[in-house]
Amino acid sequence: MKESDSNPQIGQIVQIQKGRDAGQYAVVIQRLDDKFVFIADGEKRKFDSPKKKNIQHLQCQDYMNEEVRRSLLETGRVTNGKLRWALGKFVEEVLEDLEKGDELDGERRRH
């Protein structure tokens, strides 16, 4: 396990690996201790009712949303809209690039 996998930071995007929400993405909004964090996505899981998750059940993404992080560190809060925006931006920038890369690789192999 990489170091970043075992040490999620506030504002970092994580993919849920275990439980009902497996496969979905969320934002770390608070670290409770060395084992647990609170996550929220601003939609199903709002800021005011975050999900407590064991960090072993999360896969940290190499993506930190600085606006969400700054808001949480400065005020202790973030809007649900900003959480949704951060996740949307992550999907747009990171996941779509990965898919495009996969498509290019597939096309190269076919030719």
Side-chain angles (χ1 to χ4, degrees), residues 24-70:
Q24 295 181 7
Y25 293 92
V27 181
V28 175
I29 60 168
Q30 184 181 347
R31 282 190 62 109
L32 297 174
D33 55 33
D34 289 341
K35 282 190 71 164
F36 292 97
V37 294
F38 275 137
I39 60 171
D41 63 9
E43 201 166 320
K44 248 176 57 178
R45 190 53 75 174
K46 306 275 194 222
F47 175 81
D48 289 329
S49 59
K51 177 76 176 161
K52 181 179 177 183
K53 239 10 205 170
N54 184 323
I55 62 173
Q56 292 182 337
H57 297 168
L58 300 172
Q59 180 182 16
C60 294
Q61 303 299 304
D62 189 19
Y63 189 91
M64 177 79 64
N65 189 285
E66 287 301 326
E67 281 191 51
V68 169
R69 181 176 172 77
R70 199 172 320 119

Side-chain angles (χ1 to χ4, degrees), residues 63 85 87-98:
Y63 189 91
W85 170 81
L87 287 166
K89 192 170 172 167
F90 166 74
V91 166
E92 199 175 283
E93 291 179 7
V94 178
L95 297 185
E96 288 183 3
D97 285 351
L98 287 176

